[in-house]
Amino acid sequence: MVTSEEVARLAGVSRTTVSRVLSGSGRISEEVRQRVLEAAASLGYEPNVVAQSMVRQRSRTIALGLFHVEEGLSFSRLGETKHHFYLDVLKYIEEEAANAGYDLLQPSRPLGRTPESYVRTLQTRQVAGAVMLALSSTDPRIPALVQAHIPTVFIDAVGQGPGATYVKGDHVSGARQVTEHLLALGHKRMAFFVGPSSNMFGMERLFGAQQALASAGRSLDPSLVRQSGWNMQQAYEAAAQLLSERRDFTAIIAGSDLMAIGILRALRERGLHVPEDVSLSGFDDLELASYTDPGLTTVRQDRVAMGRGAIQLLLRLIQGEQHLAPLILPTQLIARQSTGPAPSV
């Protein structure tokens, strides 16, 4: 069995320092703390005090994980347009946590060397639980947290176990609603801009569109499905490429409002009018969707319920409830001026 003395020797510190780091007490520099945690991780050291603290005395701190681990410092990337949707979600996470008497903690090094070291960091900090926001489906922190039995709620990522569950919008229904809206306006050929192929929710939205088309006796044209990143520039570039190839469609369904704004620019640069020549819709209903010209038809996701609901589920997990069902939030079509009747041929 690995001892704290071995950890101290590898980290180049005293056993007292190891004890202080692993108990979360005392003033320890970040550099020393990281050396001790990495030494403990590399040796596989599991101090009993951590396990005892997790069972007997939860702190009033909730760990917050943001986005995919490879993105680096998460807070510095909140200004990126692809993350704009989550700014309000974070606001309501913070408000609900504060109302319940909890503080939020975002570790400065999200993963360290391994997902196990990330989990150990949370255990060392004696967090009560964790909220993980918009991780990629391949993020190794998802199975690590589920297996460690740290109470965890994932937002726009799927992770489930006795002490873990997730919150997300009903992407399939939302995409089905907007596709049915365009079909009712007489549109027969629609282009679809989805996110990266690895993003499960972008694929759910495409599936919802396929459902609506199938119900109307129509099929999806694979050549009119285009992938891009979630931000305006990447969607603009993907739309410019599509428009250079063909213009035999009368509507575009974008995977997000920000993508739709990029597509709107590409359409205008080529002399196409929205909605007279091409109808355009987004997804999310960001505040700016009502300020575009024309106002953007979109699908509303309830960001208030997403943030507050995640904390409410987490508190139930912290209190010992297990195997909680995920919270699937309804979505709502918001029809504005960017969609109209299909142009006559």
Side-chain angles (χ1 to χ4, degrees), residues 134-339:
L135 306 188
S136 79
S137 59
T138 59
D139 194 305
R141 288 175 292 180
I142 296 176
L145 285 163
V146 172
Q147 293 166 14
H149 301 293
I150 294 176
T152 303
V153 174
F154 300 92
I155 299 178
D156 269 358
V158 176
Q160 202 162 17
T165 190
Y166 62 92
V167 177
K168 74 178 191 72
D170 191 341
H171 303 284
V172 174
S173 173
R176 187 171 58 242
Q177 291 175 60
V178 73
T179 306
E180 290 172 346
H181 167 69
L182 289 166
L183 286 166
L185 289 170
H187 295 276
K188 298 178 180 179
R189 294 188 63 79
M190 307 174 202
F192 300 88
F193 283 70
V194 298
S197 59
S198 61
N199 185 277
M200 181 178 68
F201 301 128
M203 296 302 104
E204 285 187 356
R205 294 172 189 179
L206 185 60
F207 179 65
Q210 287 178 303
Q211 284 186 339
L213 290 170
S215 296
R218 308 196 67 83
S219 59
L220 184 71
D221 182 347
S223 66
L224 287 175
V225 177
R226 300 299 168 109
Q227 292 181 347
S228 78
W230 294 109
N231 63 40
M232 291 181 284
Q233 180 62 31
Q234 290 172 314
Y236 165 79
E237 293 170 357
Q241 179 62 38
L242 173 63
L243 290 165
S244 71
E245 297 172 7
R246 58 195 296 181
R247 298 190 183 183
D248 59 341
F249 49 88
T250 61
I252 296 176
I253 297 178
S256 74
D257 292 343
L258 292 168
M259 292 170 71
I261 292 172
I263 294 167
L264 180 61
R265 175 186 166 188
L267 291 168
R268 284 182 169 169
E269 287 181 353
R270 286 149 185 82
L272 296 171
H273 298 89
V274 174
E276 293 81 4
D277 298 317
V278 180
S279 285
L280 176 65
S281 68
F283 206 105
D284 292 334
D285 194 31
L286 301 178
E287 183 179 4
L288 55 79
S290 62
Y291 288 91
T292 59
D293 181 21
L296 185 64
T297 292
T298 186
V299 174
R300 178 174 294 164
Q301 293 203 77
D302 192 339
R303 298 185 290 281
V304 179
M306 191 171 286
R308 294 194 186 285
I311 294 297
Q312 292 164 8
L313 280 175
L314 182 62
L315 294 177
R316 291 172 61 189
L317 291 171
I318 290 171
Q319 292 162 6
E321 294 188 50
Q322 293 190 334
H323 298 288
L324 296 183
L327 176 60
I328 311 299
L329 297 168
T331 48
Q332 178 187 1
L333 173 69
I334 305 297
R336 297 192 178 99
Q337 297 76 35
S338 68
T339 51

Side-chain angles (χ1 to χ4, degrees), residues 16-36:
T16 300
T17 299
V18 171
S19 176
R20 287 176 176 172
V21 169
L22 296 180
S23 66
S25 63
R27 293 185 177 180
I28 305 293
S29 72
E30 182 64 16
E31 186 270 334
V32 170
R33 188 182 70 83
Q34 286 296 333
R35 284 199 347 243
V36 171

